[in-house]
Amino acid sequence: MESIKSKEDKLFKRWSVAFEGDGYSNFCYDGLIHNGELYNNAQNRYSGNQEELWNNAKRRILFFMKEPNNNEGEDYREWGLYQQTSSTFFRFIYSWLNALSTVTADSPIPSMIKELDLSLPLCIVNAKKESGGSVASYSNIYTHVDKYSNYLREQFDIYSANIIICGGTDKMINIVKDSIYSDINFTPLLNSDWIWYSAEKKIILFDSFHPCAIKSNHAKYDVLIEHFQLFLRSNLFEL
């Protein structure tokens, strides 16, 4: 069976050619993050068993973000993630992933974490593969989505995630519903303004705050997990 990494690399080769043909440069690579040994003074990781973990995971959780931030031409997959971090962005990514991977319908919500267990596969996909700055321009993001939505769909299909966290305003979840998964019908979860689901495909989408949104930890973290537990109690399909 062809590896996820091989599928990613083949896709990115074609995508980056189209990307450069449209006048862009420094394509940023993302996807399933390596969990192997650290190298380069702990700045990077070798590939480990992340694919085995992903393929065997009951809940395959994909974080759909707007764009890389000042990381021109870098490869997210090789970053030295999982380590203890002071980054607000990764603290929320780690905490969401940890909780969404482990909670049941009525279990206590885990405390937030700063370091991620290597047994939890981490997948990050950016809507725009060109690096931006500290504030994203949705006009630029929409331009990239319009040009490359077929590539984004192909990337999503590589992972077959069943939980997708759309980090930002409702614009991010609308990109998924209207552009990437335009052929799938999603229904809003009753009594929730956070979750849309497809019972047919057994996928749920979260209309989440961005990890760095100026909101309380409770609003960004606890409430998201509470709505996931609401979904689990709905018994619409198993996750």
Side-chain angles (χ1 to χ4, degrees):
M1 184 173 66
E2 186 177 10
S3 70
I4 290 173
K5 177 69 158 51
S6 174
K7 292 178 182 178
E8 288 174 333
D9 288 345
K10 287 179 180 178
L11 168 63
F12 294 151
K13 184 175 181 179
R14 290 184 283 111
W15 195 340
S16 63
V17 168
F19 185 85
E20 292 171 6
D22 290 329
Y24 302 113
S25 60
N26 295 315
F27 185 95
C28 295
Y29 303 81
D30 52 30
L32 189 59
I33 306 301
H34 292 180
N35 71 342
E37 294 296 319
L38 291 164
Y39 69 98
N40 189 25
N41 294 318
Q43 296 301 304
N44 299 95
R45 280 193 187 275
Y46 292 111
S47 182
N49 69 336
Q50 68 276 354
E51 293 199 13
E52 178 185 358
L53 293 170
W54 180 266
N55 290 330
N56 291 329
K58 181 179 180 181
R59 300 172 184 170
R60 296 180 301 280
I61 301 162
L62 184 153
F63 294 93
F64 184 54
M65 297 291 135
K66 291 179 282 189
E67 63 183 7
N69 184 355
N70 295 319
N71 305 118
E72 291 84 355
E74 293 190 23
D75 192 336
Y76 267 47
R77 298 170 297 175
E78 298 176 356
W79 283 8
L81 300 179
Y82 287 90
Q83 301 179 82
Q84 184 165 329
T85 182
S86 60
S87 160
T88 298
F89 181 90
F90 284 109
R91 190 160 55 92
F92 275 91
I93 294 287
Y94 292 176
S95 298
W96 285 333
L97 177 56
N98 178 65
L100 291 170
S101 297
T102 58
V103 296
T104 63
D106 298 300
S107 64
I109 296 175
S111 298
M112 291 188 65
I113 59 175
K114 296 182 179 179
E115 184 176 1
L116 184 63
D117 193 296
L118 288 167
S119 68
L120 296 176
L122 172 59
C123 187
I124 301 174
V125 174
N126 289 295
K128 174 172 166 274
K129 305 304 189 194
E130 181 186 45
S131 187
S134 57
V135 179
S137 162
Y138 272 107
S139 175
N140 289 338
I141 290 169
Y142 287 146
T143 296
H144 280 253
V145 170
D146 288 344
K147 285 178 181 288
Y148 308 122
S149 60
N150 288 342
Y151 290 119
L152 280 167
R153 174 58 182 265
E154 190 173 341
Q155 187 175 11
F156 271 49
D157 286 347
I158 288 172
Y159 312 117
S160 297
N162 51 17
I163 299 174
I164 299 173
I165 312 300
C166 306
T169 66
D170 59 357
K171 294 180 176 66
M172 292 301 292
I173 195 170
N174 288 339
I175 287 172
V176 175
K177 291 189 298 176
D178 299 339
S179 297
I180 298 174
Y181 281 155
S182 59
D183 59 325
I184 300 175
N185 292 320
F186 288 95
T187 302
L189 180 64
L190 186 66
N191 298 320
S192 175
D193 54 357
W194 285 73
I195 292 178
W196 291 68
Y197 68 91
S198 167
E200 177 188 5
K201 299 296 185 181
K202 294 182 170 54
I203 299 171
I204 68 171
L205 309 177
F206 277 92
D207 183 5
S208 169
F209 290 115
H210 188 273
C212 296
I214 304 175
K215 300 286 183 179
S216 69
N217 288 358
H218 176 81
K220 289 193 290 185
Y221 174 67
D222 297 80
V223 176
L224 184 148
I225 306 306
E226 288 168 359
H227 280 263
F228 181 56
Q229 292 181 307
L230 175 65
F231 170 82
L232 295 176
R233 289 192 294 273
S234 73
N235 294 314
L236 290 164
F237 52 87
E238 188 176 356
L239 277 178

Coordinates of all heavy atoms in Angstrom, one line a residue, residues 80-158:
G80 N 10.0 20.1 14.6 CA 10.2 19.3 15.9 C 9.0 19.6 16.8 O 9.2 20.0 18.0
L81 N 7.8 19.2 16.4 CA 6.7 19.4 17.2 C 6.5 18.3 18.3 O 7.4 17.4 18.4 CB 5.4 19.4 16.3 CG 5.4 20.6 15.3 CD1 4.2 20.6 14.5 CD2 5.6 21.9 16.0
Y82 N 5.5 18.3 19.0 CA 5.2 17.4 20.1 C 5.9 17.8 21.4 O 5.5 17.5 22.5 CB 5.6 15.9 19.8 CG 4.6 15.2 18.9 CD1 4.9 15.3 17.5 CD2 3.5 14.5 19.3 CE1 4.0 14.6 16.6 CE2 2.7 13.9 18.5 CZ 2.9 13.9 17.1 OH 2.1 13.3 16.2
Q83 N 7.0 18.6 21.3 CA 7.8 19.0 22.5 C 7.0 20.0 23.3 O 6.1 20.7 22.8 CB 9.1 19.6 22.1 CG 10.0 18.7 21.3 CD 11.3 19.4 20.9 OE1 12.2 19.5 21.7 NE2 11.4 20.0 19.7
Q84 N 7.4 20.2 24.5 CA 6.8 21.3 25.3 C 6.9 22.6 24.6 O 8.0 22.9 24.1 CB 7.5 21.3 26.7 CG 6.8 22.3 27.7 CD 7.2 22.1 29.1 OE1 7.5 21.0 29.5 NE2 7.2 23.2 29.9
T85 N 5.8 23.4 24.7 CA 5.8 24.6 23.9 C 5.2 25.7 24.7 O 4.3 25.5 25.6 CB 5.0 24.4 22.6 OG1 5.0 25.6 21.8 CG2 3.5 24.1 22.9
S86 N 5.7 27.0 24.4 CA 5.1 28.2 25.0 C 4.2 28.8 24.0 O 3.6 29.9 24.2 CB 6.1 29.1 25.5 OG 7.0 29.5 24.4
S87 N 4.1 28.3 22.8 CA 3.3 28.8 21.7 C 1.8 28.7 22.0 O 1.4 27.5 22.2 CB 3.7 28.1 20.4 OG 2.7 28.3 19.4
T88 N 1.1 29.7 21.9 CA -0.4 29.6 22.1 C -1.0 28.8 21.0 O -1.9 28.0 21.3 CB -1.0 31.0 22.1 OG1 -0.5 31.8 23.2 CG2 -2.5 31.0 22.2
F89 N -0.5 29.0 19.8 CA -1.1 28.2 18.7 C -1.0 26.7 18.9 O -2.0 26.0 18.9 CB -0.3 28.6 17.4 CG -0.8 27.9 16.2 CD1 -1.8 28.4 15.4 CD2 -0.2 26.6 15.8 CE1 -2.3 27.8 14.2 CE2 -0.7 26.0 14.6 CZ -1.7 26.5 13.9
F90 N 0.2 26.2 19.2 CA 0.4 24.8 19.4 C -0.1 24.3 20.7 O -0.5 23.1 20.8 CB 1.9 24.4 19.2 CG 2.2 24.4 17.7 CD1 3.1 25.4 17.2 CD2 1.7 23.5 16.8 CE1 3.4 25.4 15.8 CE2 2.0 23.5 15.5 CZ 2.9 24.5 15.0
R91 N -0.2 25.1 21.7 CA -0.8 24.7 23.0 C -2.2 24.3 22.8 O -2.7 23.3 23.3 CB -0.6 25.8 24.1 CG -1.0 25.3 25.5 CD -0.4 26.2 26.5 NE -0.7 27.6 26.3 CZ -1.8 28.2 26.9 NH1 -2.6 27.5 27.7 NH2 -2.0 29.5 26.7
F92 N -2.9 25.1 22.0 CA -4.3 24.8 21.7 C -4.5 23.6 20.8 O -5.3 22.7 21.0 CB -5.1 26.0 21.2 CG -5.6 26.9 22.3 CD1 -4.8 27.9 22.8 CD2 -6.8 26.6 22.9 CE1 -5.3 28.7 23.8 CE2 -7.3 27.4 24.0 CZ -6.5 28.5 24.4
I93 N -3.6 23.5 19.8 CA -3.6 22.4 18.9 C -3.4 21.1 19.7 O -4.2 20.1 19.5 CB -2.6 22.5 17.8 CG1 -2.9 23.7 16.8 CG2 -2.4 21.2 17.0 CD1 -4.0 23.5 15.9
Y94 N -2.4 21.1 20.5 CA -2.1 19.9 21.3 C -3.3 19.6 22.2 O -3.6 18.4 22.4 CB -0.8 20.1 22.2 CG 0.5 20.3 21.5 CD1 1.6 20.6 22.2 CD2 0.6 20.1 20.1 CE1 2.9 20.7 21.6 CE2 1.8 20.2 19.4 CZ 2.9 20.5 20.2 OH 4.2 20.7 19.6
S95 N -3.8 20.6 22.9 CA -4.9 20.3 23.9 C -6.1 19.8 23.2 O -6.8 18.9 23.7 CB -5.1 21.6 24.7 OG -4.0 22.0 25.4
W96 N -6.5 20.5 22.1 CA -7.7 20.0 21.3 C -7.5 18.5 20.9 O -8.4 17.7 21.0 CB -7.9 20.9 20.1 CG -8.5 22.2 20.4 CD1 -9.3 22.6 21.4 CD2 -8.4 23.4 19.6 NE1 -9.7 23.9 21.3 CE2 -9.1 24.4 20.2 CE3 -7.7 23.6 18.4 CZ2 -9.2 25.7 19.6 CZ3 -7.8 24.9 17.8 CH2 -8.5 25.9 18.5
L97 N -6.3 18.2 20.3 CA -6.1 16.9 19.8 C -6.1 15.9 20.9 O -6.7 14.8 20.8 CB -4.7 16.8 19.1 CG -4.3 15.5 18.6 CD1 -5.3 14.9 17.6 CD2 -2.9 15.6 17.9
N98 N -5.5 16.2 22.0 CA -5.5 15.3 23.2 C -6.9 15.0 23.7 O -7.3 13.8 23.9 CB -4.6 15.9 24.3 CG -4.6 15.0 25.5 OD1 -4.1 13.9 25.5 ND2 -5.2 15.5 26.6
A99 N -7.7 16.0 23.9 CA -9.0 15.9 24.4 C -10.0 15.2 23.4 O -10.7 14.2 23.7 CB -9.6 17.2 24.8
L100 N -9.9 15.6 22.1 CA -10.8 15.0 21.1 C -10.5 13.5 20.9 O -11.3 12.8 20.5 CB -10.7 15.8 19.8 CG -11.3 17.2 19.8 CD1 -10.9 18.0 18.6 CD2 -12.8 17.2 20.0
S101 N -9.2 13.2 21.1 CA -8.8 11.8 20.9 C -9.3 10.9 22.1 O -9.3 9.6 21.9 CB -7.3 11.7 20.8 OG -6.8 12.4 19.7
T102 N -9.6 11.5 23.2 CA -9.7 10.6 24.4 C -11.0 10.7 25.1 O -11.4 9.8 25.8 CB -8.6 10.9 25.4 OG1 -8.6 12.3 25.8 CG2 -7.2 10.6 24.9
V103 N -11.8 11.9 25.0 CA -13.0 12.0 25.8 C -14.1 11.1 25.4 O -14.2 10.7 24.2 CB -13.5 13.5 25.8 CG1 -12.5 14.4 26.4 CG2 -13.9 13.9 24.4
T104 N -14.9 10.8 26.3 CA -16.2 10.1 26.0 C -17.3 11.1 26.2 O -17.1 12.2 26.5 CB -16.4 8.9 27.0 OG1 -16.5 9.3 28.3 CG2 -15.2 7.9 26.8
A105 N -18.5 10.6 26.0 CA -19.7 11.5 26.1 C -19.8 12.2 27.4 O -20.3 13.4 27.5 CB -21.0 10.7 25.8
D106 N -19.4 11.6 28.5 CA -19.6 12.1 29.8 C -18.4 12.2 30.7 O -18.5 12.5 31.9 CB -20.7 11.3 30.6 CG -22.0 11.4 29.8 OD1 -22.6 12.5 29.6 OD2 -22.5 10.3 29.4
S107 N -17.2 12.0 30.1 CA -16.0 12.0 30.9 C -15.6 13.5 31.2 O -16.0 14.4 30.5 CB -14.9 11.3 30.1 OG -14.6 12.0 28.9
P108 N -14.8 13.6 32.3 CA -14.3 15.0 32.6 C -13.4 15.5 31.4 O -12.8 14.7 30.7 CB -13.4 14.8 33.8 CG -13.9 13.5 34.4 CD -14.3 12.6 33.3
I109 N -13.4 16.8 31.2 CA -12.6 17.4 30.2 C -11.2 17.5 30.7 O -10.9 18.0 31.7 CB -13.1 18.8 29.8 CG1 -14.5 18.7 29.2 CG2 -12.2 19.5 28.8 CD1 -15.2 20.0 28.9
P110 N -10.2 16.9 29.9 CA -8.8 17.0 30.4 C -8.3 18.4 30.5 O -8.8 19.3 29.8 CB -8.1 16.2 29.3 CG -9.1 15.5 28.5 CD -10.3 16.3 28.6
S111 N -7.3 18.6 31.4 CA -6.7 19.9 31.5 C -5.9 20.2 30.2 O -5.5 19.3 29.5 CB -5.7 19.9 32.6 OG -6.4 19.7 33.9
M112 N -5.7 21.5 29.9 CA -4.9 21.8 28.7 C -3.5 21.3 28.9 O -3.0 21.2 30.1 CB -5.0 23.3 28.5 CG -6.3 23.8 28.0 SD -6.3 25.5 27.5 CE -5.2 25.4 26.1
I113 N -2.8 21.1 27.8 CA -1.4 20.6 27.9 C -0.5 21.5 27.1 O -0.9 22.2 26.2 CB -1.3 19.1 27.4 CG1 -1.8 19.1 25.9 CG2 -2.2 18.2 28.2 CD1 -1.7 17.7 25.2
K114 N 0.8 21.3 27.4 CA 1.9 22.1 26.6 C 2.8 21.1 25.8 O 3.6 21.6 25.1 CB 2.7 22.9 27.6 CG 1.9 24.0 28.3 CD 2.8 24.8 29.2 CE 2.0 25.9 29.9 NZ 2.9 26.7 30.8
E115 N 2.6 19.8 26.0 CA 3.4 18.8 25.4 C 2.5 17.7 24.9 O 1.6 17.3 25.6 CB 4.5 18.3 26.3 CG 5.5 17.3 25.7 CD 6.6 16.9 26.7 OE1 6.6 17.4 27.8 OE2 7.5 16.1 26.3
L116 N 2.7 17.2 23.7 CA 1.8 16.3 23.1 C 2.4 14.9 23.1 O 3.6 14.7 22.7 CB 1.5 16.7 21.6 CG 0.5 15.8 20.9 CD1 -0.9 15.8 21.6 CD2 0.3 16.3 19.5
D117 N 1.7 13.9 23.5 CA 2.1 12.5 23.5 C 2.4 12.0 22.1 O 1.6 12.3 21.2 CB 1.0 11.6 24.1 CG 1.6 10.2 24.5 OD1 1.9 9.5 23.5 OD2 1.6 9.9 25.6
L118 N 3.5 11.4 21.9 CA 3.9 11.0 20.5 C 3.0 9.9 19.9 O 3.1 9.6 18.7 CB 5.4 10.4 20.5 CG 6.5 11.5 20.7 CD1 7.8 10.8 21.1 CD2 6.6 12.3 19.5
S119 N 2.1 9.3 20.7 CA 1.2 8.3 20.3 C 0.0 8.9 19.6 O -0.9 8.2 19.0 CB 0.7 7.4 21.4 OG -0.1 8.1 22.3
L120 N -0.2 10.2 19.6 CA -1.3 10.9 19.0 C -0.9 11.5 17.7 O -0.1 12.4 17.6 CB -1.9 12.0 19.9 CG -2.5 11.5 21.3 CD1 -2.9 12.7 22.1 CD2 -3.6 10.6 21.1
P121 N -1.4 11.0 16.5 CA -1.0 11.5 15.2 C -1.6 12.9 15.0 O -2.8 13.2 15.3 CB -1.6 10.5 14.3 CG -2.8 9.9 15.0 CD -2.4 9.9 16.4
L122 N -0.7 13.8 14.5 CA -1.1 15.2 14.3 C -1.0 15.5 12.9 O -0.1 15.3 12.2 CB 0.0 16.0 15.1 CG 0.0 17.6 14.9 CD1 -1.4 18.2 15.3 CD2 1.1 18.2 15.7
C123 N -2.1 16.1 12.4 CA -2.2 16.5 11.0 C -2.7 17.9 10.8 O -3.8 18.3 11.4 CB -3.2 15.5 10.3 SG -3.3 15.7 8.5
I124 N -1.9 18.7 10.1 CA -2.2 20.1 9.9 C -2.2 20.4 8.4 O -1.2 20.2 7.7 CB -1.2 21.1 10.6 CG1 -1.2 20.8 12.1 CG2 -1.6 22.5 10.4 CD1 -0.1 21.5 12.9
V125 N -3.3 21.0 7.9 CA -3.4 21.4 6.5 C -3.8 22.9 6.5 O -4.7 23.3 7.1 CB -4.5 20.6 5.8 CG1 -4.7 21.1 4.4 CG2 -4.1 19.1 5.8
N126 N -3.0 23.6 5.7 CA -3.3 25.1 5.5 C -4.0 25.3 4.2 O -3.7 24.7 3.2 CB -2.0 25.9 5.4 CG -1.3 25.9 6.8 OD1 -1.8 26.5 7.7 ND2 -0.1 25.3 6.9
A127 N -5.0 26.2 4.2 CA -5.8 26.5 3.0 C -4.9 27.1 2.0 O -5.1 26.9 0.8 CB -6.9 27.4 3.4
K128 N -4.0 27.9 2.4 CA -3.1 28.7 1.5 C -1.7 28.2 1.8 O -1.2 28.2 2.9 CB -3.2 30.2 1.8 CG -2.3 31.1 1.1 CD -2.8 32.6 1.3 CE -1.7 33.6 1.0 NZ -0.8 33.8 2.1
K129 N -1.0 27.8 0.7 CA 0.4 27.2 0.9 C 1.5 28.3 0.8 O 2.6 27.9 0.9 CB 0.6 26.1 -0.2 CG -0.4 25.0 -0.2 CD -0.6 24.3 1.2 CE -1.4 23.1 1.0 NZ -1.9 22.5 2.3
E130 N 1.1 29.5 0.5 CA 2.1 30.6 0.5 C 2.1 31.2 1.9 O 1.0 31.5 2.5 CB 1.7 31.7 -0.5 CG 2.6 32.8 -0.6 CD 2.1 33.9 -1.5 OE1 0.9 34.2 -1.4 OE2 2.9 34.4 -2.3
S131 N 3.3 31.4 2.5 CA 3.4 31.9 3.8 C 2.8 33.4 3.9 O 3.0 34.2 3.0 CB 4.8 31.9 4.3 OG 4.9 32.3 5.7
G132 N 2.1 33.7 5.0 CA 1.7 35.0 5.3 C 2.3 35.6 6.5 O 3.4 35.1 7.0
G133 N 1.7 36.6 7.0 CA 2.3 37.3 8.2 C 1.4 37.0 9.4 O 0.7 36.0 9.5
S134 N 1.5 37.9 10.4 CA 0.8 37.7 11.6 C -0.8 37.8 11.5 O -1.5 37.2 12.3 CB 1.2 38.7 12.7 OG 1.1 40.0 12.3
V135 N -1.2 38.5 10.4 CA -2.7 38.7 10.2 C -3.0 38.2 8.8 O -2.4 38.6 7.8 CB -3.1 40.1 10.3 CG1 -4.6 40.2 10.0 CG2 -2.8 40.6 11.8
A136 N -3.9 37.2 8.7 CA -4.2 36.6 7.4 C -5.2 37.5 6.6 O -6.1 38.1 7.2 CB -4.8 35.2 7.6
S137 N -5.0 37.5 5.3 CA -6.0 38.2 4.4 C -6.9 37.1 3.8 O -6.4 36.3 3.1 CB -5.2 38.9 3.3 OG -6.1 39.2 2.3
Y138 N -8.2 37.2 4.2 CA -9.1 36.3 3.6 C -9.3 36.4 2.1 O -9.5 35.5 1.4 CB -10.5 36.4 4.3 CG -10.6 35.5 5.5 CD1 -10.5 36.0 6.8 CD2 -10.6 34.1 5.4 CE1 -10.6 35.2 7.9 CE2 -10.7 33.3 6.5 CZ -10.7 33.8 7.7 OH -10.7 33.0 8.8
S139 N -9.0 37.6 1.6 CA -9.1 37.8 0.1 C -8.0 37.0 -0.5 O -8.3 36.3 -1.5 CB -8.8 39.3 -0.2 OG -8.7 39.5 -1.6
N140 N -6.8 37.0 0.0 CA -5.7 36.1 -0.5 C -6.0 34.6 -0.3 O -5.7 33.8 -1.2 CB -4.4 36.5 0.2 CG -3.9 37.8 -0.3 OD1 -4.2 38.3 -1.3 ND2 -3.0 38.4 0.6
I141 N -6.6 34.3 0.8 CA -6.9 32.9 1.1 C -8.0 32.4 0.1 O -7.8 31.3 -0.5 CB -7.4 32.7 2.5 CG1 -6.2 32.9 3.5 CG2 -8.0 31.3 2.7 CD1 -6.7 33.0 4.9
Y142 N -9.0 33.2 -0.2 CA -10.0 32.8 -1.1 C -9.4 32.7 -2.5 O -9.8 31.8 -3.3 CB -11.1 33.9 -1.2 CG -12.0 33.9 0.0 CD1 -12.6 35.1 0.5 CD2 -12.4 32.7 0.7 CE1 -13.4 35.1 1.6 CE2 -13.2 32.7 1.8 CZ -13.7 33.9 2.2 OH -14.6 34.0 3.3
T143 N -8.5 33.6 -2.9 CA -7.8 33.4 -4.2 C -7.2 32.1 -4.4 O -7.3 31.4 -5.4 CB -6.8 34.6 -4.4 OG1 -7.5 35.8 -4.4 CG2 -6.1 34.4 -5.7
H144 N -6.4 31.7 -3.3 CA -5.8 30.4 -3.4 C -6.7 29.2 -3.4 O -6.5 28.2 -4.1 CB -4.8 30.3 -2.2 CG -3.5 31.0 -2.4 ND1 -2.3 30.4 -2.7 CD2 -3.2 32.3 -2.4 CE1 -1.3 31.3 -2.9 NE2 -1.9 32.5 -2.7
V145 N -7.8 29.3 -2.5 CA -8.8 28.2 -2.5 C -9.5 28.1 -3.9 O -9.7 27.0 -4.4 CB -9.8 28.5 -1.4 CG1 -11.0 27.5 -1.5 CG2 -9.2 28.4 0.0
D146 N -9.8 29.2 -4.5 CA -10.4 29.2 -5.8 C -9.5 28.5 -6.8 O -10.0 27.8 -7.7 CB -10.8 30.6 -6.3 CG -12.0 31.2 -5.5 OD1 -12.7 30.4 -4.8 OD2 -12.2 32.4 -5.5
K147 N -8.2 28.8 -6.8 CA -7.3 28.3 -7.7 C -7.0 26.8 -7.5 O -6.9 26.0 -8.4 CB -6.0 29.0 -7.7 CG -6.0 30.4 -8.3 CD -4.6 31.1 -8.2 CE -4.5 32.5 -8.8 NZ -4.5 32.4 -10.2
Y148 N -6.9 26.4 -6.2 CA -6.4 25.1 -5.9 C -7.3 24.2 -5.1 O -6.9 23.3 -4.4 CB -5.1 25.3 -5.1 CG -4.1 26.2 -5.8 CD1 -3.6 27.4 -5.2 CD2 -3.6 26.0 -7.1 CE1 -2.7 28.3 -5.8 CE2 -2.8 26.8 -7.7 CZ -2.3 28.0 -7.1 OH -1.4 28.8 -7.7
S149 N -8.6 24.5 -5.1 CA -9.6 23.7 -4.4 C -9.5 22.2 -4.7 O -9.7 21.3 -3.8 CB -11.0 24.2 -4.5 OG -11.4 24.1 -5.9
N150 N -9.2 21.9 -6.0 CA -9.1 20.5 -6.4 C -7.9 19.8 -5.7 O -8.0 18.6 -5.3 CB -9.0 20.3 -7.9 CG -10.3 20.6 -8.6 OD1 -11.3 20.6 -8.0 ND2 -10.2 20.9 -9.9
Y151 N -6.8 20.6 -5.5 CA -5.6 20.0 -4.8 C -5.9 19.9 -3.3 O -5.5 18.9 -2.7 CB -4.4 20.9 -5.0 CG -3.9 21.0 -6.4 CD1 -3.8 22.1 -7.2 CD2 -3.3 19.8 -7.0 CE1 -3.3 22.2 -8.4 CE2 -2.8 19.8 -8.3 CZ -2.8 21.0 -9.0 OH -2.2 21.0 -10.3
L152 N -6.6 20.8 -2.8 CA -7.0 20.7 -1.3 C -7.9 19.5 -1.1 O -7.7 18.8 -0.1 CB -7.7 22.0 -0.9 CG -6.8 23.2 -0.6 CD1 -7.7 24.5 -0.4 CD2 -6.1 22.9 0.7
R153 N -8.8 19.3 -2.0 CA -9.7 18.1 -1.9 C -8.8 16.8 -2.0 O -9.0 15.8 -1.2 CB -10.8 18.1 -3.0 CG -11.6 16.8 -3.0 CD -12.3 16.6 -1.6 NE -13.1 15.3 -1.6 CZ -14.4 15.3 -1.9 NH1 -15.1 16.4 -2.2 NH2 -15.0 14.1 -1.9
E154 N -7.9 16.8 -2.9 CA -7.0 15.6 -3.0 C -6.2 15.4 -1.7 O -6.0 14.3 -1.3 CB -6.1 15.8 -4.2 CG -5.3 14.5 -4.6 CD -4.6 14.6 -5.9 OE1 -4.9 15.5 -6.7 OE2 -3.6 13.8 -6.1
Q155 N -5.8 16.5 -1.1 CA -5.0 16.4 0.1 C -5.9 15.8 1.2 O -5.5 14.9 2.0 CB -4.4 17.7 0.5 CG -3.4 17.5 1.7 CD -2.7 18.8 2.1 OE1 -3.0 19.9 1.6 NE2 -1.7 18.6 3.0
F156 N -7.1 16.4 1.3 CA -8.1 15.9 2.3 C -8.3 14.4 2.1 O -8.4 13.6 3.1 CB -9.4 16.7 2.3 CG -9.4 17.9 3.1 CD1 -8.4 18.9 3.1 CD2 -10.5 18.2 3.9 CE1 -8.4 20.0 3.9 CE2 -10.6 19.3 4.7 CZ -9.5 20.2 4.7
D157 N -8.5 14.0 0.9 CA -8.8 12.6 0.6 C -7.6 11.6 1.0 O -7.9 10.5 1.3 CB -9.1 12.4 -0.9 CG -10.5 12.9 -1.2 OD1 -11.3 13.2 -0.3 OD2 -10.8 13.1 -2.4
I158 N -6.4 12.1 1.0 CA -5.3 11.3 1.4 C -5.5 10.8 2.8 O -5.2 9.7 3.2 CB -4.0 12.1 1.3 CG1 -3.6 12.3 -0.2 CG2 -2.8 11.4 2.0 CD1 -2.4 13.2 -0.4

